């Protein structure tokens, strides 16, 4: 029996200010600050998800044709594990931190760093992973002690409705709320006062949100997409590169902000890569992809037509795939050989199952083209020998990178994830989710007995400057030409540093031990005189 999926209903625009005021008032009542309150709410959310697993899976199928395995892998299981991990670590994360690098003269005021919730926050989710990308930031906000309003994506309405049911049934309505809708409702939300806005989606909407937030100096976290490059060098394993990158484009029918947008392949291995793409396709879908239960669908007619136009306008040659069915919103994984970075499949993020490939003469050209297409994509995927992949990482920029794989870094739930430049700002996941919604508040406490120590700061200043300089000034360990100056002790400690980390440590400590023994022998002789 299919689970009951509630209807998707827009929140009345006129009700939004009242809902937000309620959630904001709760924060200023300090209700969400106790750690135990946060843990109880997170645990309730866990069981709400657990009890509605079937409904979530069915909703993801209705919205995206998402296979059951992918729904558990990247939606249900992901957020359940995220909650358990957060609950297991929250008390540790929330403890006051000892301030680092504190001079002795400042130790008396007990400097520390408190982790405090930012306040009332807005989380705007995305349709491609409608559970993970909505609840992931929400979990971080709850852990940090914030109150929150969640706006799920209307692009996945069935999942949005299930999320609303879970949150309203399980969580404290005074602290957490769900707003449903599209542009009018989102616009109304942006008119409210927030202490942070977390948005996942495309750069166009991200720009609108950032501009609106700037009017009130509201901080934002923007998780955007990018024209992510994969680079396959002549020394790469063509079979593995083809297999792993193909998987990166068949999962969720390529509707993943992290998947590669195009592949730059050294001409020496180009034929092998293309052939191995075809081999892997047959391995993944032995009976064809069209009727496979392991392949998702495009989320909407609008996005289907957008993708169709991209393929229709390409000047490249289709080498594999290309089949489409508008009624079923089905697009087959499609490999296209192109020769221009201004091709329709490359100049925009496809966010679909297209795999444009450009042949390059060498690694120099590959790096140059990758930086030319977009200098700050969300991810980079280098394939090759270590020296080659290290060079690619060194000479490109991106939010993250997976070497010799497709977005593995993005599949580790406890690894900080975020973009850079055009691909976004801010990061979350694991402890980074807690930090994303936390203010690090530096605190000192000056005891009354310290008055004599700080008296130098009070006027009159006559005769105090030289004494203050002696107390506070650090000695430069470099000369006027910018060259480092090393003391005898520093020189001894640096010996062997060129011999590798392990051997360097042994050499340094051997020299120190010999020197110490010499000093001791000298002192013993002096004592006998």
């Amino acid at each position: 029996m299919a689970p009951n999926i509630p209807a998707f209903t827009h929140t009345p625009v006129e009700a939004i200010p009242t809902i937000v005021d309620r959630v904001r008032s709760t924060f200023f009542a300090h209700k969400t600050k106790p750690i135990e309150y946060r843990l109880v709410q997170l645990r309730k959310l866990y069981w709400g998800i657990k009890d509605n697993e079937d409904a979530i899976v069915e909703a993801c199928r209705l919205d995206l044709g998402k296979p059951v395995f992918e729904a558990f892998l990247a939606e249900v299981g992901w957020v359940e594990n995220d909650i358990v991990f957060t609950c297991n670590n929250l008390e540790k994360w929330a403890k006051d931190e000892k301030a680092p690098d504190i001079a002795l003269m400042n130790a008396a005021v007990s400097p520390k760093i408190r982790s405090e919730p930012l306040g009332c926050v807005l989380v705007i989710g995305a349709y491609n992973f409608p559970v993970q990308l909505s609840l992931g930031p929400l979990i971080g906000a709850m852990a940090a002690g914030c109150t929150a309003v969640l706006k799920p994506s209307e692009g996945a309405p069935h999942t949005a409705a299930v999320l609303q049911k879970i949150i309203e049934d399980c969580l404290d309505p005074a602290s957490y709320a769900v707003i449903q809708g599209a542009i009018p409702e989102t616009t109304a939300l942006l008119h409210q006062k927030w202490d942070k806005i977390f948005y996942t989606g495309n750069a166009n909407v991200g720009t609108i949100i950032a501009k609106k937030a700037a009017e009130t100096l509201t901080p934002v976290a923007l998780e955007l997409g990018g024209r992510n490059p994969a680079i396959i060098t002549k020394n790469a394993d063509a079979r593995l590169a083809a297999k792993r990158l193909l998987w990166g484009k068949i999962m969720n029918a390529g509707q993943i902000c992290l998947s590669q947008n195009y592949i730059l392949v050294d001409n020496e291995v180009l034929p092998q890569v293309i052939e191995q793409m075809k081999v892997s396709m047959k391995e993944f879908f032995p009976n064809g992809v069209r009727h496979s239960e392991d392949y998702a669908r495009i989320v909407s007619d609008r996005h289907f037509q957008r993708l169709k136009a991209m393929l229709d306008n390409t000047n490249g040659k289709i080498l594999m795939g290309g089949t489409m069915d508008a009624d079923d919103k089905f697009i087959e994984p499609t490999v296209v050989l192109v020769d221009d970075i201004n091709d329709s499949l490359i100049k925009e993020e496809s966010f679909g199952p297209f795999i444009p490939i450009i042949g390059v003469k060498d690694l120099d050209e590959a790096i140059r083209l990758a930086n030319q297409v977009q200098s700050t994509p969300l991810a980079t995927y280098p394939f090759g020998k270590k020296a080659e992949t290290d060079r690619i990482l060194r000479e490109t920029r991106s939010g993250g990178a997976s070497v010799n794989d497709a977005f593995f870094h993005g599949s580790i739930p406890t690894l900080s994830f975020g973009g850079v430049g055009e691909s976004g700002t801010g990061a979350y996941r694991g402890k980074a989710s807690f930090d994303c919604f936390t203010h690090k508040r530096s605190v000192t406490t000056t005891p009354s007995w310290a008055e004599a120590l700080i008296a130098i700061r009070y006027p009159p200043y006559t005769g105090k400057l030289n004494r203050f300089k002696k107390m506070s000034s650090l000695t430069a360990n470099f000369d006027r030409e910018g060259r480092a100056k090393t003391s005898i002790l520093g020189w001894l400690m640096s010996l062997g540093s060129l011999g590798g980390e392990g051997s360097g440590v042994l050499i340094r400590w051997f020299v120190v031990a010999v020197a110490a023994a010499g000093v001791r022998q000298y002192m013993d002789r002096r004592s006998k005189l």
Side-chain angles (χ1 to χ4, degrees), residues 43-196:
R43 292 164 185 159
K44 287 183 176 181
L45 179 59
Y46 173 88
W47 287 112
I49 297 165
K50 199 75 175 174
D51 294 341
N52 288 276
E53 284 184 351
D54 291 343
I56 292 173
V57 170
E58 176 64 12
C60 289
R61 185 192 68 80
L62 293 171
D63 288 330
L64 291 139
K66 188 166 290 198
V68 174
F69 179 82
E70 291 185 10
F72 186 85
L73 173 72
E75 306 280 16
V76 176
W78 182 290
V79 295
E80 288 175 351
N81 288 343
D82 194 9
I83 293 173
V84 173
F85 177 80
T86 299
C87 288
N88 289 342
N89 290 277
L90 180 54
E91 290 190 20
K92 177 179 65 177
W93 295 344
K95 284 183 178 179
D96 290 352
E97 302 171 31
K98 183 179 179 181
D101 306 319
I102 298 299
L104 181 61
M105 63 180 294
N106 295 323
V109 297
S110 306
K112 61 184 177 181
I113 301 171
R114 294 171 57 93
S115 294
E116 300 193 345
L118 285 176
C120 181
V121 302
L122 172 64
V123 175
I124 303 176
Y127 68 79
N128 55 324
F129 291 96
V131 179
Q132 179 195 146
L133 300 183
S134 294
L135 295 188
L138 179 63
I139 291 166
M142 293 171 65
C146 297
T147 57
V149 172
L150 172 65
K151 163 61 179 65
S153 173
E154 73 279 10
H158 298 92
T159 310
V162 173
L163 291 180
Q164 182 174 8
K165 179 180 183 301
I166 292 171
I167 290 171
E168 292 182 349
D169 287 352
C170 300
L171 299 186
D172 185 345
S175 303
Y176 315 104
V178 176
I179 300 294
Q180 303 282 25
I183 294 177
E185 294 78 10
T186 304
T187 302
L189 282 169
L190 293 177
H191 284 312
Q192 306 306 307
K193 170 60 181 172
W194 303 101
D195 295 298
K196 187 160 192 175

Side-chain angles (χ1 to χ4, degrees), residues 7-8 175 180 331 512 529:
F8 177 84
S175 303
Q180 303 282 25
I331 298 180
V512 171
L529 295 178

Side-chain angles (χ1 to χ4, degrees), residues 3-25:
N4 182 39
I5 307 297
F8 177 84
T9 304
H10 288 240
T11 303
V13 172
E14 61 274 13
I16 290 175
T18 301
I19 295 171
V20 175
D21 285 345
R22 181 187 74 223
V23 174
R24 172 167 288 278
S25 296

Side-chain angles (χ1 to χ4, degrees), residues 30 55 136 141 184 221 227 237 314 446-447 457 461 466:
H30 311 294
R227 287 169 284 167
D237 185 322
T314 182
T446 308
R457 71 185 184 181
Y461 299 134
N466 288 335

Side-chain angles (χ1 to χ4, degrees), residues 27-42:
F27 177 77
F28 285 108
H30 311 294
K31 187 176 186 179
T32 59
K33 288 187 176 180
I35 300 299
E36 187 57 30
Y37 176 90
R38 307 181 204 179
L39 288 171
V40 168
Q41 295 300 308
L42 287 165

Side-chain angles (χ1 to χ4, degrees), residues 26 30-31 51 59 84 144 176 183 185 192 196 199 204 208 220 241 308 311 334 346 353 367 372 402 433 435 467:
T26 300
H30 311 294
K31 187 176 186 179
D51 294 341
V84 173
Y176 315 104
I183 294 177
E185 294 78 10
Q192 306 306 307
K196 187 160 192 175
Y199 168 76
N204 291 333
I208 294 171
V220 296
K308 182 179 182 301
L311 191 61
T334 303
I346 294 180
I367 292 174
Q372 190 173 341
S402 293
S433 292
D435 291 338
R467 187 152 49 102

